[in-house]
Amino acid sequence: MSKLTVVDKFLLRGGQERDIILSMKKDVELWEKTLALLSENMDIREFATWIEHPLSFLRWNKGAGVLLLEVSTELAKDRISFKYAAAIEEAAQTVFGVSLSVRFLLPGERDTVKPPVIKDDDGGIIFNPVYTFDNFIVGPNNEFARKAAQAVATAPGKVNAYNPLFIYSAPGLGKTHLLNAIGSAILEKFPDLSVLCITAVQFTEDLVNASFKSKNTNAFKEFKEKYRSVDVLLIDDIQMISEREKTNEEVFHTYNTLYTSGKQMVFTSDRPPKDLLGVHDRLKDRLGEGLQVDIQVPSYETKMAILKQKAMLEGLSEDMEGLAEINSFIAENIKSNVRELVSAFNRVIAMAKLTDRPLTKAFARESLSDMIKFGAAGGLSPKDIKKVVAAHYEITVTDIDSNDRTRTFALPRQIAMYLCKELTDLSYPKIAALFNKDYSTVHHAVDKIRKNLGKDEQLKEVLDILTGKIQDEY
Ligand code: ADP
Ligand code: MG
């Protein structure tokens, strides 16, 4: 499995890159062994939720003794740093055979161990090499952004109308991916250009260090030179520059210097320039004076294409049993974030491998139960759930709503309550009201079913069937 295939397929260009890639390939293998070791000592679900699913290997910085891992969300980063960092470090040290520390980076966040220049002195790649144009799936939602990015990469700084290029969208829709793709493509085509790719947060930190913390009196001058002498400046998440006077000013002056000398700039952001908060008007005007493009939420077809590619990159065969089924399930249910889409896919595949279970829609649903609340937006109502459960047990909805405690009615009633809790966003009090019961009755029912699920295979099967029916019908 793994990201290795990505590398093989898309990046084997030139001897130097090949070397880097081969050593990275080995490192990824070590990381996979680390995962295997961790999984031996953890609960499967916990492992999938907090290790396998949110974490992915970025790089092993041998010089600094740091293992860089990407973590998918802020929440996961906090939780993992707090709870699992030591265990991860220990396992990694065992497998890598050296002493190292682990660092978690959010997508787009840069490693502070190395300077942020993409092409460093010895020619190493600092981009995330997984993000290329080749593996960016194009759909109506991102077509324009991708075209503009490609145009910029083909002739950086040459087309005034595209300078700066400003790409904005909601999270997880491919901004950082496109930004890295621009950087890689430019370096490939114009190896002599200097390309700097950095997040706004990193820029701010760099500035603070240069202005206040460094004992080196030339630090600020060096800072200015570093940013103002590049041929291409790529800044990710510019909305993060915050209200700091000094950062605003430095971005502004850097901008002006680069702009007047015809250097290409690309910015990404979660909103268009005019809506940036805490950014001075004069800088907002500049940021908006080139081409602004947005990325929208992908359609079902585009999501399917992304998942198909993902499966291919994982080395899975296209006609693998159940793959199409789980992909369409994921594409239907993960509405608006490609990062989550990909995470969901990774999770299902990882869980299937760990538990050795076949890929089915029911399995996907189960693996993703905490990511997907069915019917939350689609209008699935407790009434629908009651209907399906009643039909299955050949009783009526009135029986479910009644106070008759004989087992014929009590079990279906408890199952219906459990399904309402699991499949909708409704709170206990709301469910209680809809079943004409009090809060503690519902709570008790849900708890009981949850507990029994662990030991009662038959119950599990019934719930799988019912969930499947509800999902299909509503
Ligand atoms: P953003 O910076 O907008 O928050 P990212 O660029 O980090 O989003 O994208 C999130 C994840 O989704 C990344 O793994 C990225 O590779 C993937 N992704 C987003 N859009 C596409 C696409 N069109 N094709 C392939 N992968 C994509
Ligand atoms: Mg990003």
Side-chain angles (χ1 to χ4, degrees):
M1 62 167 269
S2 97
K3 290 104 204 164
L4 308 181
T5 346
V6 180
V7 165
D8 286 343
K9 287 229 164 64
F10 294 105
L11 279 160
L12 286 182
R13 301 174 186 119
Q16 197 173 42
E17 264 174 278
R18 183 186 305 262
D19 289 347
I20 294 169
I21 285 154
L22 287 180
S23 89
M24 193 167 146
K25 199 165 163 166
K26 266 195 229 127
D27 298 349
V28 175
E29 272 163 17
L30 290 173
W31 169 241
E32 275 167 9
K33 286 195 183 128
T34 308
L35 285 179
L37 182 62
L38 281 163
S39 72
E40 279 170 27
N41 301 317
M42 282 175 83
D43 169 74
I44 285 182
R45 229 166 227 278
E46 198 181 2
F47 173 76
T49 311
W50 296 110
I51 308 282
E52 171 94 354
H53 151 68
L55 289 178
S56 57
F57 177 85
L58 278 181
R59 203 152 56 84
W60 176 22
N61 185 333
K62 299 185 179 80
V66 176
L67 181 65
L68 293 164
L69 301 174
E70 184 172 296
V71 53
S72 52
T73 64
E74 197 98 54
L75 177 81
K77 184 174 175 176
D78 289 349
R79 174 82 180 254
I80 295 167
S81 307
F82 179 67
K83 208 170 160 203
Y84 302 107
I88 296 171
E89 222 157 82
E90 199 189 325
Q93 295 196 13
T94 309
V95 174
F96 284 68
V98 292
S99 136
L100 47 75
S101 62
V102 176
R103 189 162 307 168
F104 305 103
L105 299 178
L106 288 166
E109 196 181 339
R110 282 196 181 268
D111 164 21
T112 46
V113 179
K114 280 219 171 188
V117 188
I118 283 170
K119 205 176 147 200
D120 59 9
D121 294 342
D122 49 45
I125 305 172
I126 300 186
F127 283 122
N128 188 336
V130 171
Y131 296 154
T132 65
F133 282 128
D134 291 345
N135 62 9
F136 188 81
I137 300 285
V138 182
N141 64 312
N142 60 25
E143 200 175 5
F144 193 37
R146 146 89 205 223
K147 274 204 181 113
Q150 185 93 55
V152 161
T154 312
K158 295 287 182 288
V159 185
N160 218 12
Y162 294 169
N163 203 12
L165 173 61
F166 194 100
I167 305 172
Y168 63 94
S169 80
L173 294 180
K175 299 182 293 294
T176 299
H177 187 135
L178 273 184
L179 197 70
N180 278 270
I182 293 174
S184 298
I186 292 180
L187 277 186
E188 193 182 318
K189 209 161 185 274
F190 310 99
D192 296 332
L193 291 187
S194 63
V195 181
L196 191 65
C197 182
I198 191 170
T199 65
V201 172
Q202 175 75 51
F203 181 93
T204 307
E205 275 173 17
D206 209 12
L207 174 62
V208 171
N209 285 333
S211 329
F212 308 113
K213 292 197 187 144
S214 172
K215 293 194 183 74
N216 172 0
T217 45
N218 276 330
F220 186 54
K221 205 167 147 242
E222 282 165 15
F223 170 90
K224 288 204 290 201
E225 266 164 26
K226 175 166 118 192
Y227 287 97
R228 295 182 199 183
S229 65
V230 297
D231 298 307
V232 179
L233 181 64
L234 311 170
I235 301 192
D236 206 3
D237 290 323
I238 191 72
Q239 79 276 4
M240 303 292 284
I241 68 167
S242 75
E243 289 172 44
R244 287 180 55 91
E245 192 65 29
K246 187 112 185 161
T247 317
N248 258 281
E249 217 163 87
E250 257 334 289
V251 175
F252 182 73
H253 291 307
T254 306
Y255 183 100
N256 286 339
T257 309
L258 293 176
Y259 189 82
T260 39
S261 43
K263 307 298 188 188
Q264 181 69 49
M265 287 171 281
V266 184
F267 300 91
T268 73
S269 161
D270 66 351
R271 66 199 76 186
K274 66 175 176 27
D275 297 336
L276 288 169
L277 299 173
V279 173
H280 295 174
D281 286 343
R282 58 176 195 175
L283 179 54
K284 281 195 222 173
D285 289 345
R286 296 288 195 281
L287 293 173
E289 72 188 343
L291 180 64
Q292 300 179 32
V293 290
D294 68 342
I295 304 179
Q296 296 288 335
V297 168
S299 64
Y300 173 79
E301 286 72 24
T302 307
K303 288 190 278 188
M304 284 300 277
I306 293 172
L307 291 172
K308 199 166 156 189
Q309 167 181 265
K310 183 76 194 148
M312 187 192 84
L313 296 177
E314 292 284 342
L316 304 177
S317 144
E318 202 181 306
D319 38 38
M320 179 179 176
E321 175 96 38
L323 190 62
E325 184 178 325
I326 64 151
N327 279 355
S328 88
F329 176 79
I330 294 170
E332 260 165 29
N333 286 288
I334 305 279
K335 300 276 186 272
S336 56
N337 185 322
V338 179
R339 183 176 299 123
E340 281 177 14
L341 186 81
V342 172
S343 297
F345 175 86
N346 286 339
R347 160 114 58 115
V348 175
I349 298 297
M351 294 279 278
K353 279 187 181 151
L354 283 167
T355 56
D356 217 16
R357 287 184 46 194
L359 297 177
T360 60
K361 196 161 144 186
F363 177 69
R365 182 183 295 115
E366 187 187 320
S367 311
L368 302 174
S369 59
D370 60 334
M371 276 177 95
I372 300 173
K373 284 281 181 194
F374 301 104
L380 172 66
S381 73
K383 207 163 165 197
D384 302 329
I385 294 176
K386 286 181 197 172
K387 266 195 230 156
V388 172
V389 176
H392 179 83
Y393 285 98
E394 297 177 348
I395 57 175
T396 65
V397 173
T398 319
D399 294 331
I400 289 191
D401 285 337
S402 75
N403 286 322
D404 188 332
R405 298 221 198 144
T406 50
R407 192 167 156 81
T408 328
F409 305 124
L411 181 67
R413 183 178 304 128
Q414 288 173 336
I415 287 181
M417 290 172 175
Y418 167 83
L419 288 171
C420 283
K421 186 67 200 151
E422 288 296 303
L423 302 183
T424 73
D425 275 335
L426 295 169
S427 63
Y428 280 116
K430 282 239 173 72
I431 298 174
L434 291 162
F435 279 81
N436 275 326
K437 301 285 176 308
D438 56 23
Y439 170 92
S440 62
T441 308
V442 179
H443 202 280
H444 172 76
V446 173
D447 259 7
K448 188 175 144 197
I449 299 291
R450 270 195 193 138
K451 271 199 202 111
N452 290 347
L453 263 182
K455 38 194 185 196
D456 186 343
E457 274 301 316
Q458 211 183 340
L459 178 65
K460 200 155 183 275
E461 211 167 284
V462 168
L463 280 169
D464 270 355
I465 294 169
L466 288 172
T467 315
K469 273 194 190 151
I470 292 165
Q471 182 66 23
D472 287 342
E473 284 175 35
Y474 299 99

